[in-house]
Amino acid sequence: LAGGGDSIRGALVMALDVAHLEALGLELGGDERSVDAVAEVTRELARSAEPVAARMVICEGARLVAEAPVAALFEPDARAVELVASAAVGADLGNLALPLSNEAAGAARAFVRGDEVLVDHGTASAVDLEFLFAARVETVLWIPIIRDRAAIGLLALGWRQRTSGISLRASAL
């Protein structure tokens, strides 16, 4: 995610890949709000040359498409021992850092294994609870951002209610 415009565009493509949505059977043409959200994110990214602003646009687009009140991006620190909040919409996470050493944490599992992990208060580790409390949400979906078969960051989508499942729209991100 760090770096110039190509990295930012790559992150957006990974987070909001329309072809991936269609492959999962979600027809954007039937959901005008989703099409508008993706279009708005694309326009904002085209106007933004600054990585910090682009990260916020990515979060806002993901939040709108997933219909989640909170979206955040996390990136590994320089030593790759923690995931640090690099942008958030819908919550003030400050410099929240989540250790990768706790394998019970959904965030760490998602990042290390490259799999999406859904966590709520009933299944959360202490690390996940830090995010849930800071974001004031009940449920979080950790989505790894993959480049060249390796996670380079995490997208976190948070909902204020517990959910036993997630919508196809959110899982398609």
Side-chain angles (χ1 to χ4, degrees):
L1 294 177
D6 288 338
S7 296
I8 294 165
R9 280 188 291 280
L12 177 65
V13 168
M14 286 179 268
L16 299 171
D17 181 35
V18 176
H20 181 63
L21 291 171
E22 290 172 351
L24 290 172
L26 180 63
E27 294 185 34
L28 287 177
D31 188 345
E32 192 172 314
R33 184 174 173 187
S34 294
V35 173
D36 290 345
V38 171
E40 181 61 25
V41 167
T42 303
R43 282 191 294 275
E44 288 296 321
L45 277 176
R47 287 187 283 241
S48 175
E50 187 174 321
V52 173
R55 287 180 181 96
M56 295 299 287
V57 171
I58 291 168
C59 288
E60 181 63 22
R63 187 188 70 76
L64 289 172
V65 171
E67 298 177 353
V70 175
L73 283 174
F74 286 83
E75 297 178 62
D77 67 354
R79 299 174 298 141
V81 296
E82 294 180 318
L83 294 170
V84 180
S86 58
V89 172
D92 181 6
L93 301 180
N95 293 324
L96 181 64
L98 308 172
L100 288 169
S101 59
N102 183 340
E103 293 179 19
R109 285 194 324 268
F111 186 79
V112 172
R113 296 180 187 165
D115 295 326
E116 296 174 2
V117 177
L118 183 67
V119 175
D120 66 25
H121 275 278
T123 61
S125 71
V127 172
D128 293 314
L129 284 173
E130 286 185 58
F131 174 80
L132 293 173
F133 287 128
R136 296 188 171 138
V137 295
E138 293 288 322
T139 303
V140 60
L141 176 63
W142 299 108
I143 304 171
I145 299 171
I146 307 292
R147 180 183 297 151
D148 297 328
R149 299 183 190 171
I152 60 167
L154 276 185
L155 174 65
L157 296 171
W159 290 271
R160 305 234 187 270
Q161 72 282 349
R162 287 188 183 188
T163 178
S164 59
I166 52 173
S167 72
L168 177 60
R169 179 176 297 128
S171 67
L173 289 173

